Amino acid sequence: MCGIVGYIGKKDATPILLSSLKRLEYRGYDSCGVGVVAQKDGKIHSKKTQGKIQGLTDILKDKPMPTGFVGISHTRWATHGKPTKANAHPHADKTGKILIVHNGIIENYQEIKEALKAKGYPFVSETDSEVIAHLISSLDKGDLLEAVQKAIQKLNGSFALGVISSDHPDKLIAARLGSPLIIGVGCNENFIASDVPAILDRTRKIVYLRDGEVAELQKSSLKIFDFKGKQIKPKVHTVAFKLDAVQKEGFSHFMLKEIHEQPKVLSGMLSSRIKNKKVHLEGLSLTDKQLKGINHVFVVACGTAYHAGLVGKYVIEQLAGVPVSIDVSSEFRYRTPIINKKTLIVAVSQSGETADTLAAVREAKLKGCKVISICNVVGSSLARESHGVLYTHAGPEIGVASTKAYTAQLCMMYLLGLKLGVLKKKISKGRSESLIKDLKRVPSFLMMILKSKAKIRKIARANSHFGCFLFLGRNINFPSALEGALKLKEISYIPAEGYAAGEMKHGPIALIDEYRAVVCVTPEADTYEKMISNMQEIRARKGKIIAIATEGDTAIKQHANNIIYIPSTNKLLTPLVVALPLQLIAYYIAVERGNDVDQPRNLAKSVTVE
Ligand code: G6P
């Protein structure tokens, strides 16, 4: 999704904006731009281009931007209008004095555009965002903050905004409604950005702008107001994670680095959440009595987080005996889910900014449900809007294809299942302790798999030419198959389907021939024999099989063309272990095909629009 960075201070804005904007590349974008108020002539100057930030940097090498101490920049992920230079941000008003960058969607832009056109405002782009520049201009009576405040009253939809004006070179205005925006507080300089990593090398002091707030930044002051103009005291947080967390540190891609971080993330989570052999879920903000009263869990999530939720359904139902429903967030909000005060909503999201998940949570709160979130980004909208939050603390995830956030979400599902199971007396103390012991061994299993990555790479390379993949799993590893297929299609662009193996005969078997590869998630399981039958059916039709099986399973050799072994673990915990080889298969196939692994085409890390 779009990325915003703004700067005001004593240094030349453009180099700062470009290097910070580069740190937002992971969000996904197709065009970019930068604009400043120039010191030499007091005028607005801007440059935009279709394509990558490197292209913009090259343009600026030929024709440098004049020095300016205030500026805004943007990466655009096209919604309204193609990814062209004209549609790229910043957008200017007709006088060329006001420049804006916008993330979000203005739903009533057509109506505003017609009204402004009738008054003689010319439009040069197809975007919804351009109306904002003209609207502010039409309301500007000499006070930029006031003009922005008046303009946003007229906007429907969602926005994070950065605004500068040549009439006010000492000000940078920011506003937020439904799209993420943070403020970085520096020494004689201040920043705005869509996400913390953008400005982490400049400052660790962050103010999370909330929905319905407008900020006026000057080089050494920050004022925040609500949309009605009432001033609010900014709450400054100091971000804990280090700059290393947002650098590749010798890995060829962020995705590979994040895959390698999983043992550390899981052991960190387990050591902080398990004390005296008991699960402690600080942040849950529900009393044991309230938890015991829950008779239905409803998970809402999108993408990879949805798959973590699906595993959670198997885990919580098995450990706690509570029925678990699950919807992708975009479906939940537009149907009539049966929920009430005894339903616990569990919203799962890495970013905590996914528009559909946020909308689902708001819907559920209106119906009186308690909402907890499993979330990675501290201070995100979801974390703030939930009654309780279980942070996964996996560190910033930069690769668009989610890896460490997924296994961290899975781990949290096991902990939540254990907590509920013990409280509801569905599992004994002994079973809980033994599962905790098994959970604690998972990080070392992941390390072992990482040690065999050369073999996984070889298998991935040997299969990278297949034009279509099927991923099969059963029971608790059905979601693993879905996630394996999602990872592969996200970064390799190879059509890949995830299926419950039992459903194979009801359709996907028609795909099988010698040109298809099938990844069978086949660890030790009660359904193991059934998986073997499926594999035989695939072999009989000449399909090529990559099996993920448990170390020591020699019998599988006669059924699979390639085998990736995982250490033997508790059957319930296998999704945590099989995730890693599935991620590596996708990663190495995408690398082999020469794809941009960290920024796959058309995808965005955080989907902040519907
Ligand atoms: C996008 C990302 C996925 C992610 C999904 C949900 O589609 O590309 O990797 O799983 O959003 O994001 P969330 O931040 O809510 O987990």
Side-chain angles (χ1 to χ4, degrees):
M1 292 285 110
C2 305
I4 289 176
V5 181
Y7 173 81
I8 185 158
K10 295 201 299 192
K11 298 178 191 139
D12 186 13
T14 305
I16 296 174
L17 291 171
L18 289 180
S19 73
S20 297
L21 202 58
K22 250 191 147 338
R23 292 188 196 280
L24 292 182
E25 281 195 303
Y26 71 91
R27 293 169 69 85
Y29 70 105
D30 37 49
S31 56
C32 52
V34 60
V36 300
V37 179
Q39 193 60 14
K40 61 170 191 193
D41 58 10
K43 289 187 179 154
I44 289 283
H45 292 251
S46 73
K47 280 275 181 299
K48 318 198 271 195
T49 185
Q50 186 184 343
K52 297 284 177 187
I53 296 169
Q54 191 52 52
L56 184 62
T57 311
D58 294 344
I59 293 171
L60 290 171
K61 258 185 212 147
D62 282 350
K63 287 192 180 156
M65 186 78 97
T67 303
F69 302 132
V70 60
I72 48 179
S73 60
H74 191 265
T75 46
R76 174 173 185 255
W77 188 85
T79 58
H80 295 62
K82 290 180 211 76
T84 58
K85 182 177 167 186
N87 289 336
H89 299 216
H91 290 289
D93 74 318
K94 73 168 178 182
T95 64
K97 286 184 170 181
I98 293 172
L99 212 53
I100 69 108
V101 284
H102 166 229
N103 173 14
I105 289 182
I106 305 304
E107 284 162 3
N108 58 339
Y109 84 100
Q110 204 64 50
E111 186 189 317
I112 300 173
K113 190 170 177 175
E114 291 314 318
L116 287 166
K117 265 180 158 176
K119 287 186 192 161
Y121 286 85
F123 281 79
V124 293
S125 81
E126 304 161 293
T127 66
D128 54 334
S129 309
E130 193 185 354
V131 298
I132 305 170
H134 296 305
L135 191 60
I136 295 172
S137 169
S138 72
L139 298 164
D140 188 6
K141 304 270 182 293
D143 183 332
L144 187 61
L145 174 70
E146 199 182 293
V148 173
Q149 270 168 329
K150 282 187 185 155
I152 55 187
Q153 306 287 346
K154 297 183 189 291
L155 303 177
N156 293 341
S158 61
F159 52 81
L161 273 185
V163 186
I164 56 171
S165 161
S166 55
D167 283 344
H168 305 276
D170 57 341
K171 283 180 187 159
L172 165 60
I173 308 292
R176 168 187 170 148
L177 186 73
S179 296
L181 199 65
I182 57 124
I183 294 168
V185 182
C187 181
N188 280 322
E189 56 184 6
N190 287 311
F191 308 82
I192 59 169
S194 298
D195 203 354
V196 177
I199 53 170
L200 202 57
D201 58 339
R202 310 267 166 200
T203 178
R204 280 165 189 281
K205 294 205 168 90
I206 304 293
V207 175
Y208 296 97
L209 204 61
R210 286 179 300 192
D211 277 344
E213 290 183 349
V214 189
E216 184 186 80
L217 290 80
Q218 293 190 283
K219 73 175 185 305
S220 41
S221 77
L222 166 65
K223 289 183 192 151
I224 298 186
F225 305 87
D226 67 17
F227 282 1
K228 288 186 185 135
K230 189 176 152 235
Q231 197 164 348
I232 296 159
K233 196 165 178 264
K235 198 170 164 202
V236 182
H237 300 256
T238 303
V239 174
F241 51 78
K242 299 195 182 97
L243 197 56
D244 303 356
V246 291
Q247 286 169 340
K248 285 190 207 150
E249 290 186 298
F251 286 95
S252 35
H253 296 95
F254 279 109
M255 184 178 173
L256 189 61
K257 178 190 171 214
E258 288 157 7
I259 289 173
H260 278 77
E261 282 172 352
Q262 293 176 107
K264 203 167 129 207
V265 167
L266 297 192
S267 55
M269 183 189 288
L270 294 171
S271 60
S272 67
R273 298 288 189 177
I274 294 168
K275 285 166 199 149
N276 299 325
K277 300 182 187 168
K278 278 192 191 149
V279 173
H280 290 262
L281 296 181
E282 282 82 13
L284 194 60
S285 359
L286 290 177
T287 61
D288 286 357
K289 195 173 161 214
Q290 283 173 314
L291 280 176
K292 273 191 217 164
I294 285 157
N295 62 14
H296 182 201
V297 172
F298 209 126
V299 182
V300 289
C302 304
T304 289
Y306 172 72
H307 296 154
L310 274 177
V311 175
K313 175 177 166 64
Y314 287 84
V315 172
I316 295 170
E317 288 187 346
Q318 209 181 113
L319 294 179
V322 183
V324 181
S325 306
I326 173 159
D327 262 355
V328 283
S329 311
S330 53
E331 286 300 314
F332 178 89
R333 55 185 299 202
Y334 293 117
R335 64 184 195 94
T336 325
I338 312 294
I339 48 175
N340 57 42
K341 287 182 182 153
K342 290 199 162 186
T343 310
L344 175 68
I345 301 288
V346 180
V348 191
S349 172
Q350 188 284 129
S351 63
E353 300 295 348
T354 302
D356 285 321
T357 303
L358 283 167
V361 160
R362 287 170 196 149
E363 189 71 31
K365 278 168 84 180
L366 285 177
K367 295 201 168 139
C369 300
K370 280 274 173 225
V371 176
I372 62 160
S373 52
I374 295 179
C375 186
N376 196 35
V377 177
V378 176
S380 60
S381 305
L382 182 63
R384 284 203 304 261
E385 293 192 28
S386 307
H387 296 112
V389 52
L390 297 174
Y391 281 120
T392 44
H393 291 303
E397 191 178 63
I398 308 290
V400 165
S402 184
T403 52
K404 63 175 177 174
Y406 173 66
T407 41
Q409 288 159 354
L410 288 189
C411 193
M412 197 57 89
M413 284 295 180
Y414 288 102
L415 297 177
L416 185 58
L418 278 166
K419 175 88 187 172
L420 285 171
V422 169
L423 273 176
K424 287 186 164 275
K425 297 199 168 54
K426 177 77 182 158
I427 52 167
S428 66
K429 194 170 158 246
R431 179 154 185 233
S432 163
E433 288 183 4
S434 122
L435 200 61
I436 285 174
K437 210 166 143 198
D438 290 341
L439 258 177
K440 285 189 167 172
R441 296 176 68 200
V442 168
S444 66
F445 295 156
L446 300 189
M447 301 273 277
M448 284 155 80
I449 299 170
L450 284 169
K451 281 191 187 134
S452 68
K453 68 179 177 194
K455 190 183 164 204
I456 301 176
R457 183 171 58 189
K458 209 168 150 201
I459 293 174
R461 278 184 177 165
N463 288 280
S464 61
H465 61 284
F466 284 107
C468 169
F469 274 73
L470 189 61
F471 286 70
L472 299 178
R474 279 178 182 259
N475 198 265
I476 199 162
N477 281 306
F478 158 47
S480 305
L482 294 178
E483 177 57 12
L486 178 64
K487 282 291 84 81
L488 186 69
K489 76 182 117 188
E490 279 181 316
I491 58 172
S492 74
Y493 318 140
I494 300 173
E497 288 246 43
Y499 251 90
E503 277 288 290
M504 188 180 79
K505 290 200 228 20
H506 302 290
I509 199 163
L511 297 175
I512 311 283
D513 61 20
E514 65 265 48
Y515 306 110
R516 321 289 154 171
V518 185
V519 178
C520 293
V521 185
T522 330
E524 275 172 292
D526 299 340
T527 52
Y528 176 83
E529 296 301 336
K530 306 265 178 230
M531 279 301 297
I532 295 295
S533 303
N534 290 126
M535 288 165 78
Q536 280 167 337
E537 288 154 6
I538 297 162
R539 285 299 288 271
R541 287 158 185 84
K542 298 188 184 153
K544 298 288 176 294
I545 296 180
I546 304 169
I548 299 179
T550 305
E551 195 64 63
D553 178 358
T554 47
I556 204 153
K557 286 185 184 159
Q558 53 183 307
H559 307 295
N561 302 81
N562 300 110
I563 303 162
I564 298 170
Y565 282 114
I566 58 160
S568 172
T569 183
N570 186 313
K571 290 174 194 166
L572 191 66
L573 302 182
T574 48
L576 263 177
V577 184
V578 301
L580 200 149
L582 289 169
Q583 295 162 355
L584 284 177
I585 291 173
Y587 173 78
Y588 287 124
I589 290 181
V591 169
E592 186 65 15
R593 290 168 79 101
N595 293 353
D596 188 347
V597 173
D598 284 334
Q599 291 159 46
R601 70 182 184 203
N602 303 339
L603 292 181
K605 181 72 186 157
S606 149
V607 180
T608 53
V609 295
E610 267 192 65

